[in-house]
């Protein structure tokens, strides 16, 4: 038998074969990795949960009553257009839609058991003046995107309970200075007298509804309330409106609770007169009185420990809680007749007070009111402090929060391809429709990271991938309901 050439001995042949084998194996593994990557990506549904969702948020952000900025208040022309757009997206997700007698837009799927208790998912379609495009809208769009994924995959009807998405007509309370008109009606906490509240144009809520061909009377308003026995839970996805998630570098957080809030209207009346002829010593000017009241509010809220005594129910722990969570704002001020050469006869301003501790918030309002009346007496003007809105703090359901936390964790892990740590648990200083809905059923919330924590501003911004994460988290939660 002929011998091998020295260049092709047994060891050499073994090495060549080994190289070829490992090269082939590496190529095969690389091919498999590509297939797995593409398969994993398709399971994340970016074309619906991110691309389409972001497009819809941008589209809603253009639906406005104002020129050059976003403004969409209760039952305005833009609000009605936004509702029709949302209704179309609900139908696209396979939902049956309707608009109720307070302008809330509903979309519902019955699932396997249409008579079972329903899961409600919602947020608001109205905005503040000069708003950002994510507040409220993100929760509606993300929920519809998740349901659309199930619809496209033929799984929507496999939900074991009905799921209903509600786009509430009013949460911000801009037009009628009364928050939660939409969700309050569903929860059954909206008084029938709300139909007769007037806006700055002297139009009542009932008039505004009639103008949009919605006939509502007191009986119809009462019928809007959902039966608590027909509801399983309410969940809401919302931008954080704070900086915590951005600071920890994570897109989602679960909400533990929502601060209580009170809104007041303060009216200060004095003597109207000529700016050039009334001596300073003889004036009863409500403007400097109002200024002193506003500075008093700021001092009280910055340093509550200097104003509240440790007695009765307001102990040291309550005051300590206030120091960490109490915030107070004067967001609107007006005078009459509002002329540069006239001492005003009346000054009106709003007060917004929020705190995690309800007892502390009540103590602050009591102390503020007493001191305001003292200031007005000293300045020989009259003042009236009127409550316009009051909502106790809300603690989210622990079981529901745990499920939402797991869903958020699963979504973020899928997107990152690795474990990125625990999902943060946050408190909310902002009010949400979940506050009203907590009177109807258990509630849970997820927060979505927003740049700089900025909200109620055109600078409000959410990353496209964070919109994606929100939709994927809702989808993950809905999959537990199958």
């Amino acid at each position: 038998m002929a011998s091998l050439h020295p260049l092709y001995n047994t060891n050499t042949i073994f090495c060549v074969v080994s190289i070829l084998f490992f090269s082939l194996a590496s190529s095969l593994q690389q091919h498999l990795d590509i297939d797995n990557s593409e398969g994993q990506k398709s399971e994340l549904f970016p074309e619906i949960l991110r691309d389409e969702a972001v497009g819809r948020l941008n589209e809603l952000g253009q639906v406005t009553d104002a020129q050059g900025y976003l403004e969409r208040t209760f039952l305005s022309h833009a609000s009605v257009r936004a509702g029709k757009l949302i209704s179309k997206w609900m139908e696209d997700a396979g939902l049956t839609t309707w608009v109720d007698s307070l302008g809330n837009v509903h979309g519902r799927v019955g699932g396997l058991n249409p008579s079972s208790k329903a899961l409600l998912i919602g947020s608001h379609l109205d905005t503040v003046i000069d708003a950002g495009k994510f507040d409220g809208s993100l929760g509606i769009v993300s929920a519809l995107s998740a349901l659309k994924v199930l619809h496209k995959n033929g799984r929507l009807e496999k939900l074991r309970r009905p799921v209903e998405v509600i786009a509430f007509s009013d949460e911000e309370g801009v037009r009628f200075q009364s928050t939660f008109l939409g969700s309050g009606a569903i929860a059954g906490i909206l008084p029938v007298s709300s139909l007769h509240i007037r806006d700055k144009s002297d139009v009542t809520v009932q008039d505004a509804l009639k103008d949009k061909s919605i006939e509502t009377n007191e009986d119809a308003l009462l019928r809007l309330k959902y039966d608590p026995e027909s509801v399983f839970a309410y969940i809401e996805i919302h931008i954080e409106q704070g900086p915590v998630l951005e600071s920890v570098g994570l897109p989602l957080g679960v909400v533990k609770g929502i601060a209580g809030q009170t809104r007041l209207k303060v009216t200060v009346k004095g003597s109207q007169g000529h700016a050039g002829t009334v001596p300073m010593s003889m004036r009863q000017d409500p403007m400097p009185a109002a200024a002193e009241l506003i500075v008093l509010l700021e001092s009280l809220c910055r340093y509550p420990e200097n104003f509240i005594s440790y007695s009765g129910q307001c102990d040291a722990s309550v005051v300590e809680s206030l120091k960490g969570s109490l915030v107070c704002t004067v967001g609107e001020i007006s005078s009459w007749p509002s002329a540069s050469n006239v001492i005003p006869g009346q000054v009106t301003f709003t007060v917004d007070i929020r705190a995690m501790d309800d007892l502390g918030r009540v103590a602050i309002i009591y102390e503020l009111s007493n001191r305001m009346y003292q200031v007005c007496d000293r300045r020989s003007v009259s003042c009236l402090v009127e409550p316009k809105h009051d909502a106790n703090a809300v603690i989210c359901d622990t079981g529901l929060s745990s499920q939402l936390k797991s869903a958020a964790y699963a979504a973020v892990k899928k997107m990152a391809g690795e474990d990125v740590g625990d999902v943060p648990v946050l408190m909310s200083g902002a009010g949400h429709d979940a506050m009203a809905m907590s009177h109807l059923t258990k509630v849970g919330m997820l927060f979505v990271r927003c740049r700089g924590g900025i909200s109620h501003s055109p600078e409000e911004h959410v990353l496209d991938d964070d919109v994606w994460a929100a939709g994927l988290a809702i989808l993950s939660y809905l999959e537990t309901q199958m």
Side-chain angles (χ1 to χ4, degrees):
M1 183 174 65
S3 62
L4 289 171
H5 190 281
L7 292 177
Y8 300 101
N9 57 33
T10 304
N11 290 336
T12 302
I13 293 174
F14 177 78
C15 289
V16 170
V17 170
S18 297
I19 290 170
L20 290 172
F21 174 79
F22 284 113
S23 176
L24 180 62
S26 176
S27 176
L28 180 61
Q29 183 60 49
Q30 185 178 24
H31 180 71
L32 289 173
D33 287 343
I34 291 172
D35 284 348
N36 288 338
S37 175
E38 290 178 350
Q40 184 182 32
K41 184 178 180 181
S42 66
E43 290 178 3
L44 300 180
F45 310 104
E47 68 285 351
I48 296 176
L49 299 179
R50 182 190 60 196
D51 303 341
E52 184 175 69
V54 169
R56 287 176 169 181
L57 287 165
N58 290 332
E59 189 173 356
L60 264 183
Q62 298 299 313
V63 182
T64 176
D65 289 299
Q67 186 71 33
Y69 60 89
L70 179 56
E71 176 185 336
R72 199 166 58 232
T73 58
F74 177 63
L75 288 183
S76 68
H77 294 303
S79 177
V80 173
R81 294 202 309 273
K84 290 179 179 178
L85 196 57
I86 290 167
S87 182
K88 183 179 75 172
W89 295 338
M90 287 176 169
E91 292 171 359
D92 183 50
L95 310 182
T96 300
T97 66
W98 70 96
V99 177
D100 68 29
S101 56
L102 210 66
N104 298 312
V105 182
H106 302 250
R108 186 178 176 107
V109 59
L112 294 172
N113 303 291
S115 61
S116 296
K117 293 185 175 184
L119 168 66
L120 308 181
I121 310 175
S123 200
H124 58 98
L125 61 82
D126 68 319
T127 75
V128 296
I129 298 170
D130 198 20
K133 61 187 176 184
F134 297 94
D135 183 359
S137 297
L138 176 64
I140 300 167
V141 169
S142 296
L144 293 179
S145 296
L147 287 165
K148 181 173 179 177
V149 168
L150 296 179
H151 181 48
K152 290 289 185 182
N153 292 344
R155 302 173 65 200
L156 189 62
E157 298 297 336
K158 295 181 181 179
L159 291 161
R160 68 170 179 263
R161 67 176 73 255
V163 174
E164 182 175 325
V165 178
I166 309 176
F168 295 114
S169 56
D170 175 273
E171 185 256 17
E172 300 290 2
V174 171
R175 181 174 180 182
F176 290 96
Q177 293 296 300
S178 182
T179 59
F180 307 138
L181 289 177
S183 52
I186 298 295
I189 62 169
L190 188 69
V192 293
S193 59
S194 298
L195 288 175
H196 309 297
I197 298 173
R198 297 179 181 274
D199 65 11
K200 292 179 180 178
S201 300
D202 207 35
V203 175
T204 67
V205 171
Q206 192 169 30
D207 292 338
L209 288 161
K210 188 175 182 179
D211 183 59
K212 296 297 183 292
S213 301
I214 302 174
E215 294 290 341
T216 301
N217 55 31
E218 294 180 357
D219 288 339
L221 181 61
L222 292 173
R223 287 196 298 271
L224 278 181
K225 180 185 177 180
Y226 278 33
D227 179 0
E229 293 302 313
S230 69
V231 180
F232 166 69
Y234 171 80
I235 63 175
E236 183 170 354
I237 291 77
H238 204 282
I239 58 172
E240 182 193 356
Q241 300 176 290
V244 177
L245 289 174
E246 188 176 53
S247 69
V248 298
L250 291 171
L252 302 174
V254 66
V255 180
K256 181 180 180 181
I258 307 168
Q261 59 178 275
T262 298
R263 288 187 182 182
L264 307 172
K265 178 183 178 182
V266 181
T267 303
V268 186
K269 292 184 177 181
S271 294
Q272 186 173 319
H274 195 291
T277 62
V278 181
M280 296 300 291
S281 61
M282 298 178 66
R283 295 188 179 199
Q284 293 175 287
D285 190 343
M287 185 63 79
E292 184 174 346
L293 298 181
I294 293 170
V295 173
L296 167 65
L297 172 71
E298 183 192 36
S299 299
L300 193 154
C301 293
R302 278 183 179 270
Y303 311 106
E305 68 277 12
N306 295 342
F307 292 85
I308 296 184
S309 59
Y310 297 87
S311 60
Q313 292 181 311
C314 200
D315 57 22
S317 64
V318 171
V319 176
E320 192 63 30
S321 171
L322 286 174
K323 288 168 62 177
S325 70
L326 177 65
V327 291
C328 305
T329 304
V330 172
E332 184 179 348
I333 184 168
S334 62
S335 67
W336 178 261
S338 194
S340 61
N341 61 345
V342 178
I343 302 167
Q346 177 175 303
V347 176
T348 303
F349 62 92
T350 61
V351 174
D352 185 305
I353 299 174
R354 308 186 189 208
M356 298 299 179
D357 189 288
D358 289 329
L359 285 177
R361 180 170 48 85
V362 171
I364 286 291
I365 294 165
Y366 177 80
E367 190 68 28
L368 175 67
S369 298
N370 282 343
R371 290 177 181 263
M372 279 185 164
Y373 285 119
Q374 290 171 14
V375 170
C376 289
D377 286 343
R378 174 166 48 80
R379 286 184 168 272
S380 299
V381 296
S382 69
C383 64
L384 176 64
V385 181
E386 300 175 274
K388 288 297 181 180
H389 171 73
D390 191 78
N392 286 339
V394 170
I395 302 301
C396 294
D397 180 76
T398 53
L400 193 56
S401 295
S402 178
Q403 291 177 311
L404 289 172
K405 187 176 182 180
S406 297
Y409 174 81
V412 175
K413 185 177 180 181
K414 279 182 181 180
M415 290 181 63
E418 59 183 0
D419 191 341
V420 294
D422 202 14
V423 174
V425 177
L426 310 172
M427 291 294 292
S428 174
H432 304 286
D433 288 299
M435 297 185 78
M437 297 299 284
S438 69
H439 293 269
L440 174 70
T441 186
K442 61 185 179 181
V443 300
M445 286 191 72
L446 282 179
F447 270 168
V448 184
R449 173 173 54 188
C450 59
R451 186 172 60 197
I454 297 172
S455 182
H456 285 188
S457 162
E459 297 301 313
E460 185 178 280
H461 182 74
V462 176
L463 296 171
D464 291 1
D465 279 359
D466 289 358
V467 174
W468 188 7
L472 193 60
I474 304 175
L475 178 61
S476 296
Y477 175 76
L478 288 172
E479 286 173 340
T480 70
Q481 303 297 306
M482 307 189 82

